[in-house]
């Protein structure tokens, strides 16, 4: 057939494809560190979907069971807040707090229909390199003290890195793992992939203060060893990697200091420092959240009423210290306790099912036929571990990074690209 006789792609189709490529690249680059960048990128993704809605619908995202788990969980959160708190506004706020559950099916469909979905992962790794450079500059205080502009820039960078240390540590750990997987599968040159992965891992261990990132890095290092080893050597390789990773981590002054601080707080002999105060607050919030979960485990307090219940638990524990650190919070930095306390047993079960689904897929998948399914399971495991120390789904950056990356990985499981 003559090329001139082929039907031309409509302008909205071309615009949608081009905008998808740009918005996915933007989303990947900003996913680790920029809330505003993620908001703008997601708006552009939705705009691209609106330009060609039929293609999105034809992708049938609701056929992915993970979408069903997420939407059921989101529906319960919204209805529990609306009915339990008696206000449409409270239901809207709860929906917005967990809207990432709705982002997943959109991202999944976009990755299915986009012409160049791989730009997302390329931009994500580029953003990781940029973020890691910022972490080293902040850690080593590399900017000159004069002129005053550089001193101001150093202060701004230090502040930005400090408030993003949890999300950056978690994100860089995942990016290091993805580089190992790409190198192992031959998607990128092996030496370059392993070298860049090592650089990101060392950044998390030696330049970052985020304990969550350091812990998830340890989990993902063991996952990488398990997946790379022959079947009969999987468990010895995992144990060997665990020992090697712990030895490397022990060489980091920052890691040793945080471990000593945590042990000193738990033993009741803390030495005054900013990080010790942070650890004390975390432990106090954990204990208060346990009290809320104990009293409201069946149906929860509702998300709008959680702060009040948390405050009540804190006053019951310390009636003579009404202003104790960690006595006010709507976020106990533990996603499991938050779900049990705010939504009760149904919320916890739905959240656990949502988290466990990729793990179950990875357990059943063949390493050769569906390699990305196993990678998705490892990322889900890192998220599950991180959720014990931070509200990973409640927090904006971590949640958006996780759902979009998991969408990319699960689409790769289908397309095998």
């Amino acid at each position: 057939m003559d090329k001139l006789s082929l039907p031309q792609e409509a302008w909205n189709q071309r615009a949608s494809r081009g905008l998808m490529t740009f918005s996915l690249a933007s989303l990947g680059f900003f996913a680790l560190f920029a809330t505003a960048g993620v908001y703008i990128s997601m708006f552009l993704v939705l705009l691209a979907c609106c330009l060609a809605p039929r293609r999105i619908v034809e992708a049938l995202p609701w056929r992915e069971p993970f979408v069903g788990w997420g939407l059921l969980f989101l529906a319960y959160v919204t209805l529990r807040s609306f009915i339990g708190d008696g206000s449409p506004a409270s239901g809207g706020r709860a929906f917005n707090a967990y809207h990432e559950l709705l982002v997943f099916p959109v991202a999944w469909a976009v990755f299915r229909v986009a012409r160049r979905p791989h730009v997302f992962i390329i931009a994500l790794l580029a953003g990781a390199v940029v973020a890691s450079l910022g972490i080293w500059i902040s850690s080593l205080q590399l900017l000159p003290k004069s002129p005053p502009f550089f001193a101001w820039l150093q202060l701004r960078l230090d502040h930005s890195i400090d408030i993003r240390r949890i999300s950056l540590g978690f994100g860089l750990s995942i990016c290091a793992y993805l580089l190992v997987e790409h190198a192992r599968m031959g998607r990128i040159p092996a030496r370059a992939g392993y070298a860049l992965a090592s650089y990101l891992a060392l950044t998390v261990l030696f330049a970052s203060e985020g304990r969550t990132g350091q812990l998830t890095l340890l989990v993902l290092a063991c996952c990488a060893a398990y997946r790379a080893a022959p079947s009969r050597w999987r468990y010895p390789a995992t144990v060997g990697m665990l020992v090697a990773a712990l030895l490397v981590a022990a060489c980091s002054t920052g890691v040793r200091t945080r471990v000593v601080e945590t042990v000193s707080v738990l033993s009741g002999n803390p030495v005054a420092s900013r990080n010790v105060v942070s650890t004390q607050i975390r432990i106090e919030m954990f204990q208060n959240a346990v009290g809320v979960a104990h009293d409201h485990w069946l149906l929860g307090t509702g998300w709008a009423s959680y702060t009040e219940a948390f405050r009540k638990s804190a006053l019951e524990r310390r009636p003579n210290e009404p202003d104790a650190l960690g006595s006010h919070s709507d976020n106990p930095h533990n996603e499991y306790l938050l779900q049990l306390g705010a939504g009760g047993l149904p919320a916890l079960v739905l959240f656990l099912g949502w988290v466990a689904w990729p793990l179950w897929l990875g357990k059943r998948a063949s390493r050769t036929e569906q390699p990305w399914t196993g990678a998705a399971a490892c990322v889900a495991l890192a998220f599950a571990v991180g959720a014990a120390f931070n509200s990973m789904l409640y927090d904006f950056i971590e949640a958006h990074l996780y759902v979009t990356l998991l969408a990319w990985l699960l689409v790769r499981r289908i397309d095998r690209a």
Side-chain angles (χ1 to χ4, degrees):
M1 183 183 292
D2 194 309
K3 289 185 179 181
L4 294 177
S5 65
L6 291 174
Q8 294 295 314
E9 190 176 40
W11 70 268
N12 62 314
Q13 299 280 352
R14 296 195 301 272
S16 176
R17 288 184 182 277
L19 187 57
M20 276 185 186
T21 299
F22 175 80
S23 59
L24 288 178
S26 174
L27 179 61
F29 183 79
F30 291 117
L32 294 181
F33 53 82
T35 302
V38 172
Y39 267 123
I40 295 171
S41 301
M42 285 305 304
F43 171 76
L44 295 177
V45 168
L46 292 175
L47 182 59
C49 294
C50 291
L51 287 172
R54 183 176 177 180
R55 294 172 60 229
I56 300 299
V57 173
E58 289 175 346
L60 303 175
W62 50 85
R63 288 191 175 181
E64 171 59 59
F66 189 69
V67 172
W69 275 106
L71 294 182
L72 188 61
F73 181 30
L74 181 61
Y76 176 79
V77 169
T78 306
L79 290 174
R80 174 65 184 86
S81 298
F82 176 74
I83 296 173
D85 298 318
S87 167
S90 64
R93 286 192 294 270
F95 178 89
N96 183 60
Y98 291 98
H99 72 274
E100 292 87 353
L101 296 167
L102 193 58
V103 168
F104 177 85
V106 175
W108 191 92
V110 168
F111 285 131
R112 284 298 318 267
V113 304
R115 180 173 291 172
R116 296 180 178 87
H118 56 278
V119 300
F120 169 79
I121 207 71
I122 294 173
L124 177 65
L125 296 175
V129 172
V130 171
S132 66
L133 291 174
I135 291 173
W136 281 109
I137 292 172
S138 174
S139 176
L140 300 177
Q141 296 289 293
L142 294 179
L143 293 179
K145 300 299 181 182
S146 60
F149 170 75
F150 287 105
W152 173 85
L153 187 61
Q154 183 76 62
L155 288 174
R156 292 295 301 172
L157 180 62
D158 293 346
H159 176 70
S160 298
I161 296 298
D162 182 59
I163 63 176
R164 290 282 183 233
R165 63 185 183 276
I166 296 173
S167 54
L168 284 171
F170 175 69
L172 291 180
S173 298
I174 287 180
C175 288
Y177 170 73
L178 291 175
L179 282 165
V180 170
E181 288 291 339
H182 277 81
R184 185 177 67 84
M185 296 182 196
R187 305 303 176 98
I188 58 176
R191 290 184 180 180
Y194 291 134
L196 189 53
S198 299
Y199 163 71
L200 294 181
L202 293 175
T203 301
V204 173
L205 292 177
F206 289 88
S208 174
E209 294 186 352
R211 286 171 291 189
T212 302
Q214 294 163 355
L215 183 59
T216 54
L217 178 65
L218 183 64
V219 171
L220 289 170
C222 293
C223 288
Y226 179 87
R227 282 173 52 76
S231 297
R232 63 176 182 171
W233 290 101
R234 285 179 178 177
Y235 292 107
T238 303
V239 173
M241 176 59 75
L242 176 62
V243 172
L246 289 174
L247 290 175
V248 173
C251 297
S252 168
T253 302
V255 171
R256 293 199 308 272
T257 301
R258 297 310 297 271
V259 170
V260 170
E261 289 168 347
T262 303
V263 171
S264 69
V265 171
L266 292 174
S267 64
N269 300 305
V271 179
S273 74
R274 188 196 69 156
N275 289 332
V276 164
V277 172
S278 173
T279 302
Q280 289 174 319
I281 293 174
R282 288 292 191 94
I283 294 173
E284 190 72 19
M285 289 194 299
F286 177 84
Q287 293 172 329
N288 293 334
V290 168
V292 177
H294 178 269
D295 294 338
H296 304 277
W297 64 270
L298 184 58
L299 292 175
T301 64
W303 278 261
S305 302
Y306 185 82
T307 303
E308 181 181 347
F310 187 93
R311 175 64 173 161
K312 180 181 177 182
S313 175
L315 291 176
E316 289 175 351
R317 290 186 59 253
R318 298 182 183 273
N320 298 323
E321 301 179 58
D323 296 320
L325 294 175
S327 62
H328 299 77
S329 181
D330 64 345
N331 177 3
H333 290 274
N334 183 303
E335 195 71 56
Y336 305 102
L337 284 176
L338 177 59
Q339 298 308 323
L340 185 58
L345 191 59
L348 180 61
V349 170
L350 289 170
F351 176 68
L352 289 174
W354 183 75
V355 171
W357 179 259
L359 299 174
W360 184 77
L361 286 178
K363 181 67 176 177
R364 296 174 61 245
S366 165
R367 285 198 295 176
T368 56
E369 293 297 320
Q370 293 185 334
W372 292 114
T373 309
C378 293
V379 172
L381 178 61
F383 179 87
V385 171
F389 302 95
N390 287 284
S391 301
M392 303 291 281
L393 183 58
Y394 189 78
D395 293 334
F396 183 91
I397 288 290
E398 291 92 322
H400 276 80
L401 171 63
Y402 177 66
V403 297
T404 51
L405 181 56
L406 206 65
W408 188 87
L409 289 168
L410 292 180
V411 167
R412 299 281 73 72
R413 147 180 152 259
I414 295 173
D415 294 345
R416 297 179 64 185

